[in-house]
Structure formats: C-alpha cells, structure tokens
C-alpha cells in the first residue's frame, strides 16, 4: 500500500483556532517555521486567533526573535503551562535536558509535542507524559530554504507522523501545523519517527561517509598516477559538476539525468555501476543500519561523547576535523584554494 500524501485541501487550519503555539528554539528551523506560520495565520482569520510564542534564552537567536516581532519568553516553565502545541526545535543533543528538566514537569495536559527530528522520540530520550500527544513535522530542507520557498509560494518536502494520539486530535493538529508552515503545497509525506531517524542517520553514517571515503581514495590514486592537485580539485568538485548532477537527479530522475551526459559518460557510468562488486557495500550498510542505528549503539555513543569528552561533542568534532584535514585530498585542496585566493580555513 502506498503511503499517504497530504495537501492543503486535507489540512484544516481551524484545528489551531484559539491555540497557543510555543516554539522552543529560534534557530535555523525555528525562525523559518515561526515566520511562515505567522504569515499563514494572518490570512486565515481564525476565531479565536492562534497565539505564537517563542521560548528562547537571551542569545543571538532570542534577539532575532525580538527583532522579528514575536512575543518571547525565557521562562520555560511558563511556556510549558501555556502550550497547546509545543514545537520542540532545539538541537537533538540538548533536547532531552531542556525538555525533561525544564518543560515536562509543567507541560499542559493534552499538549501536542511536535518534533522536527525523530531521533529523541525513537530512542525514548524525551519523558513525555501519557496525557500528551507526540507528533513529527519534519521539513527535509534547511531553514533558509523552508522560508524562501514559502515566500516564493512553493511547498517543500516534509514528513509528518503521529506517534501518540492521547487526545484524539493529534492528526488534525499535526496536519494544520504542516499547512501553517507551508509544507502542504507540494504534498506532505506520512512517515514515522523510526523511518525518519533510520533514513537520516543512515545517510549520515553510511551513504555520505562512503562517498567521502571514495573521493578521498580516488584523489590519492589519481594523484599517484600523475594528476595534479589543480586538475583533480576542479574535476572532482570545484567545478560544481557533482552539484549539478544531483540537481538534475531531483529535476529529471536519478537514472534519467544521465541523458544530459555524453555518450561516452553514459556508457561508462551504466556499465561501471553494474560491474562494481556491491556485496561488501551491502554488508557494510546493513551493519550500520542494524548494529549502529536500530540497536541504539550510535545514540549511546553520541550521548556518551557529549557527557564524557573534555570538550563535549564540539571537542570531539575538532579532533575529527584535524584528522580529516591530514588527508591527501584536504592538503591538496588547501593548496589549490590558497593559490586561487579562495577561502580555505
């Protein structure tokens, strides 16, 4: 059975009438979604009106919320008491602490907790009372694109799910939120926190790491065969050809985009893709999916780094970047970008 798609006509904004919607966090996604929602609700003429409140500390994001004209509070307890809908949009690694310690104890009974990432719901890191609904509205684009596509009258890819429906109103609310932030113009895809987290972490821990490793190995091999750093950097990514290929994948289709390439390229890519021994890829990918993601091993490791590493996750990332920058690819790219006067730090 095909998964459900929801459009504007399927989502009634009346589900938000008289509701207080709290945005916990005003970063990349928080700002884009709050601005879109405010613009949508202005034209909806709901009676009574919905109220948007931003809950954010006094930092640069909080000051931006003030400049954007939102009612803002730094009192998490008060925000929790008011919330009919709680948009939990702070980073995954700090969500459990903020929610469990500062929001959950006073969260309004029947409130719908809406996440934009399934991570903390799937791994049960959020202590959400049984009387509260749990939903996911997860745009598949960065916040700036969520805003720019809304302003231009376009929708954007987005997943929606209801993980717990204690009130019987979780679906109408989640769909109304999806429409209010502008996602349903192009069709919102029914998903789940498990599916979203599995696909998201799989891309980050299997697909893109394999891509980085292949580029790194290809660079070293071709340099050993006599290719220059300047030629390699331009051929492999600086020309932006890979970005154009992926854009064509989205526009025309993953296979059909090959028609834009030369006949030599089409033949080489198609025959080469069938000649690759993919058994080791499938084995590695399955190990990542089963042993790291679905088992919860990665989530435990990530949480452990945040708690035990001297510099937290940021300190560990600094170490990993230092290691990555020692590769032949990174050293060669730095030389080329310096020569061309391009940013490289």
């Amino acid at each position: 059975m095909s998964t459900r798609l929801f459009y504007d006509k399927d989502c009634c904004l009346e589900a938000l009438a008289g509701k207080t919607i709290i945005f916990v966090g005003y970063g990349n996604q928080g700002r884009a979604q709050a601005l879109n929602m405010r613009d949508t609700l202005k034209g909806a003429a709901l009676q009574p009106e919905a109220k948007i409140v931003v809950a954010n500390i006094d930092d640069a994001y909080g000051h931006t919320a003030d400049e954007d004209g939102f009612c803002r509070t730094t009192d998490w307890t008060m925000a929790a008491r008011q919330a009919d809908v709680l948009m939990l949009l702070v980073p995954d690694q700090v969500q459990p602490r903020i929610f469990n310690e500062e929001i959950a104890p006073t969260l309004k009974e029947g409130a719908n907790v809406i996440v934009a990432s399934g991570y903390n719901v799937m791994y049960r890191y959020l202590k959400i009372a049984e009387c509260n609904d749990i939903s996911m509205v997860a745009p598949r684009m960065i916040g700036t694109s969520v805003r720019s596509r809304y302003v231009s009258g376009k929708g954007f890819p987005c997943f929606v799910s209801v993980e717990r429906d204690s009130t019987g109103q979780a679906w109408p609310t989640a769909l109304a939120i999806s429409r209010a932030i502008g996602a349903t113009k192009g069709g919102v895809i029914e998903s789940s926190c498990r599916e979203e987290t599995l696909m998201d972490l799989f891309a980050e821990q299997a697909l893109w790491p394999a891509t980085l490793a292949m580029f790194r190995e290809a660079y070293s091999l071709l340099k050993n065969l006599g290719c220059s750093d300047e030629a390699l950097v331009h051929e492999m990514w600086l020309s932006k050809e890979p970005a154009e290929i992926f854009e064509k994948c989205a526009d025309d289709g993953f296979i059909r985009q090959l028609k834009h390439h030369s006949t030599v390229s089409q033949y080489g890519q198609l025959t080469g893709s069938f000649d690759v021994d993919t058994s080791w890829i499938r084995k590695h990918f399955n190990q990542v999916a089963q042993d790291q993601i679905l088992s919860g091993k990665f989530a435990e490791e990530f949480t452990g780094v945040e708690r035990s590493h001297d510099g937290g996750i940021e300190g560990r990332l600094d170490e990993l970047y230092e290691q990555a920058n020692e590769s032949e690819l990174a050293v060669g790219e730095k030389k080329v970008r310096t020569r061309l006067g391009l940013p490289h730090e």
Side-chain angles (χ1 to χ4, degrees):
M1 184 176 68
S2 298
T3 192
R4 291 189 295 177
L5 299 178
F6 301 99
Y7 297 88
D8 281 358
K9 63 180 177 62
D10 305 309
C11 310
C12 182
L13 292 173
E14 288 296 327
L16 302 180
K19 305 293 187 188
T20 296
I21 304 162
I22 305 291
F23 278 82
V24 179
Y26 199 71
N28 195 319
Q29 284 291 339
R31 181 171 190 258
Q33 294 187 38
L35 289 171
N36 291 1
M37 184 179 295
R38 183 172 66 182
D39 290 349
T40 297
L41 296 181
K42 275 182 180 178
L46 298 179
Q47 291 298 328
E49 293 183 352
K51 179 182 180 182
I52 299 174
V53 177
V54 173
N56 202 100
I57 62 175
D58 285 323
D59 59 5
Y61 299 116
H63 297 153
T64 299
D66 297 338
E67 292 169 1
D68 287 339
F70 283 102
C71 173
R72 180 172 70 93
T73 180
T74 59
D75 187 337
W76 306 102
T77 300
M78 182 195 73
R81 286 198 181 102
Q82 291 182 343
D84 296 300
V85 179
L86 189 90
M87 306 287 288
L88 193 56
L89 299 175
V90 291
D92 284 338
Q93 66 268 27
V94 300
Q95 263 187 34
R97 180 186 60 78
I98 292 175
F99 182 85
N100 296 339
E101 297 177 11
E102 305 189 53
I103 294 174
T106 57
L107 183 61
K108 186 176 182 180
E109 183 175 342
N112 194 334
V113 178
I114 299 185
V115 295
S117 161
Y119 185 92
N120 285 309
V121 174
M122 175 176 170
Y123 294 120
R124 303 183 183 277
Y125 288 153
L126 300 178
K127 298 175 183 177
I128 303 174
E130 290 294 328
C131 62
N132 295 117
D133 296 337
I134 306 173
S135 304
M136 178 181 70
V137 176
R140 310 319 296 162
M141 307 186 87
I142 61 174
T144 51
S145 296
V146 167
R147 181 57 178 166
S148 64
R149 289 181 69 87
Y150 177 92
V151 171
S152 64
K154 301 175 184 177
F156 47 85
C158 186
F159 296 156
V160 64
S161 75
V162 167
E163 306 295 318
R164 183 200 294 159
D165 189 3
S166 295
T167 66
Q169 296 300 311
W171 268 112
T173 301
L175 293 177
I177 291 292
S178 299
R179 180 177 173 184
I181 66 171
T184 49
K185 287 186 179 299
V188 171
I189 303 165
E190 182 179 14
S191 184
S192 68
C193 283
R194 180 187 183 276
E195 181 178 67
E196 190 274 342
T197 302
L198 174 59
M199 292 190 299
D200 199 40
L201 294 184
F202 184 85
E204 295 166 358
Q205 296 174 40
L207 187 58
W208 300 126
T211 303
L212 289 172
M214 285 190 291
F215 266 67
R216 189 173 62 231
E217 292 302 314
Y219 190 100
S220 294
L221 173 66
L222 291 171
K223 186 168 183 181
N224 288 339
L225 292 173
C227 298
S228 69
D229 289 314
E230 288 78 7
L232 282 169
V233 169
H234 280 86
E235 176 66 21
M236 293 179 70
W237 67 87
L238 192 58
S239 64
K240 296 188 178 181
E241 183 181 19
E244 292 177 358
I245 290 172
F246 274 100
E247 189 168 352
K248 288 297 183 183
C249 286
D251 293 342
D252 299 341
F254 196 82
I255 303 301
R256 189 167 176 267
Q257 59 82 24
L258 288 168
K259 299 285 187 179
H260 295 287
H261 300 242
S262 71
T263 303
V264 171
S265 176
Q266 292 176 54
Y267 182 81
Q269 290 190 61
L270 287 169
T271 57
S273 70
F274 295 130
D275 289 341
V276 172
D277 178 7
T278 58
S279 59
W280 67 270
I281 300 176
R282 182 177 292 273
K283 181 179 179 181
H284 174 66
F285 281 3
N286 186 61
Q287 183 270 327
V288 171
Q290 297 288 349
D291 299 342
Q292 292 183 209
I293 300 172
L294 293 176
S295 71
K297 181 179 178 181
F298 168 79
E300 292 176 5
E301 175 188 330
F302 186 79
T303 301
V305 170
E306 180 67 23
R307 290 173 178 169
S308 62
H309 193 282
D310 287 344
I313 194 63
E314 295 301 326
R316 179 61 181 136
L317 280 173
D318 288 342
E319 294 173 353
L320 292 170
Y321 274 115
E322 184 176 350
Q323 181 180 345
N325 285 329
E326 293 172 354
S327 69
E328 200 165 15
L329 179 151
V331 172
E333 180 187 38
K334 183 176 180 179
K335 185 185 83 172
V336 173
R337 295 183 74 88
T338 300
R339 185 177 181 186
L340 297 176
L342 299 173
H344 57 80
E345 295 293 347

